[in-house]
Amino acid sequence: MGIERTLADRKGRDFCELPKETITNGSNSKKNRRRHKKPTVPPVQTLFDTCKRVFVSAAPSVVPPPQDIQILQSVLDRIKPEDVGLKPDMPYFHTNGSQRKPRITYLHIFECEKFSIGIFCLPPSGVIPLHNHPGMTVFSKLLFGTMHIKSYDWVVDFPPETPTTFKPPENGGSEMRLAKVKVDADFIAPCNPSILYPADGGNMHCFTAVTACAVLDVLGPPYSDPDGRHCTYYHNYPFSNFEVEGLSIPEEERSSYEWLQERDDKLEDLEVVGKMYNGPKIVES
């Protein structure tokens, strides 16, 4: 609620040197320039090529080097909605009266065992509930619109013997675990891509569309049920809702902490449909 390599300019200016007598012929000179000009690489192709390099050693909880993170972040920062074939007036970003809840559309661009690229399209009030990204480094670029993002990290830096989990006796579900709020704010495009890491940066987050919006997501490595990287959803509760013996947080800091509990319901508040990505294609070389 998703790493940049400063790529050389590929527009190509290395024209063949012409014999002196042909330079006076303006028409021939222009033709030769056109003949030797390299084609412009689509931004989504640059993104794919960069991901291949950045995630070449991708594995659970392995974070790419800082310089690679900056490179990919820079590539994402330059991508615009039109670069992936999106316009705010597309049907993905509208609701109709027959829908019980805003339907979210996912446009799949690419996925392999190392990384995935895709776009979430949310109409106004669309929500991607609070969920995690186990062992992943995730880049999210808001392409247009306004989105509220609330994200959390698990609390791991409390003194030893301090309880950060408990199972409420009145609740038959899973245990509660303490998390710290990392981000709780509106983001308005254009804005910097956000990055979350396996253990920090807001690994668990919720997206709420304030207006129609689109989010370009890069995950490395992607979700994989066979490999144990499941997408887990959570309920969140204010810290003050529960008293846990041995756990004390100053009153002025309590709003920064919440209890998260794994959801075991059927996520009736979420409807995601997959659609074909119709933007510029990528070439897997």
Side-chain angles (χ1 to χ4, degrees):
M1 204 134 163
I3 316 166
E4 334 155 45
R5 194 172 309 250
T6 308
L7 302 176
D9 182 7
R10 300 194 176 187
K11 293 185 178 178
R13 303 188 186 279
D14 50 338
F15 303 118
C16 296
E17 189 175 352
L18 300 176
K20 200 164 188 178
E21 59 271 18
T22 64
I23 294 178
T24 57
N25 187 327
S27 176
N28 287 341
S29 176
K30 291 178 181 177
K31 287 180 181 178
N32 283 333
R33 288 195 184 96
R34 284 196 296 268
R35 189 177 300 126
H36 290 90
K37 187 173 182 179
K38 295 179 182 178
T40 300
V41 177
V44 71
Q45 181 70 46
T46 300
L47 174 62
F48 170 76
D49 293 339
T50 304
C51 287
K52 280 182 63 179
R53 291 191 290 273
V54 167
F55 293 113
V56 66
S57 301
S61 299
V62 175
V63 177
Q67 63 270 24
D68 285 349
I69 289 176
Q70 291 179 351
I71 289 165
L72 183 49
Q73 188 177 17
S74 175
V75 170
L76 281 166
D77 193 42
R78 294 193 295 268
I79 292 182
K80 301 177 176 59
E82 55 268 28
D83 295 330
V84 288
L86 287 182
K87 296 179 180 178
D89 61 356
M90 287 178 158
Y92 312 137
F93 306 107
H94 300 280
T95 57
N96 58 59
S98 64
Q99 294 177 0
R100 292 184 297 111
K101 53 188 172 295
R103 179 181 298 144
I104 296 165
T105 302
Y106 180 73
L107 306 178
H108 169 80
I109 297 178
F110 178 83
E111 182 170 333
C112 64
E113 64 177 9
K114 298 292 187 181
F115 66 92
S116 66
I117 305 173
I119 303 170
F120 286 99
C121 305
L122 292 83
S125 300
V127 176
I128 300 178
L130 180 61
H131 62 283
N132 69 343
H133 306 83
M136 303 178 190
T137 303
V138 180
F139 298 76
S140 298
K141 167 63 185 292
L142 184 62
L143 295 170
F144 67 82
T146 300
M147 173 176 285
H148 186 87
I149 298 177
K150 190 170 187 179
S151 66
Y152 305 78
D153 289 321
W154 296 122
V155 171
V156 295
D157 57 354
F158 276 18
E161 309 304 322
T162 302
T164 56
T165 64
F166 80 101
K167 190 159 185 175
E170 72 279 5
N171 189 321
S174 57
E175 69 177 11
M176 302 278 189
R177 185 174 175 184
L178 189 62
K180 187 169 185 178
V181 177
K182 182 73 176 182
V183 172
D184 188 6
D186 286 349
F187 290 79
I188 304 172
C191 56
N192 294 331
S194 64
I195 309 172
L196 59 86
Y197 302 94
D200 57 37
N203 185 273
M204 298 157 290
H205 64 200
C206 171
F207 287 165
T208 303
V210 179
T211 68
C213 53
V215 183
L216 174 60
D217 256 6
V218 174
L219 281 64
Y223 291 107
S224 172
D225 286 342
D227 295 318
R229 292 192 301 279
H230 313 289
C231 183
T232 301
Y233 292 88
Y234 300 91
H235 293 295
N236 61 304
Y237 302 93
F239 174 81
S240 57
N241 277 23
F242 304 95
E243 297 227 358
V244 178
E245 186 177 352
L247 175 61
S248 177
I249 296 177
E251 185 70 34
E252 65 273 14
E253 297 178 19
R254 292 188 173 190
S255 61
S256 297
Y257 293 89
E258 294 186 12
W259 296 103
L260 304 189
Q261 181 183 43
E262 185 175 333
R263 296 178 61 165
D264 55 8
D265 56 21
K266 296 181 179 180
L267 288 172
E268 294 182 354
D269 56 343
L270 175 65
E271 182 180 1
V272 179
V273 296
K275 295 288 185 180
M276 291 292 295
Y277 163 73
N278 292 315
K281 303 303 179 185
I282 58 173
V283 177
E284 301 177 41
S285 55

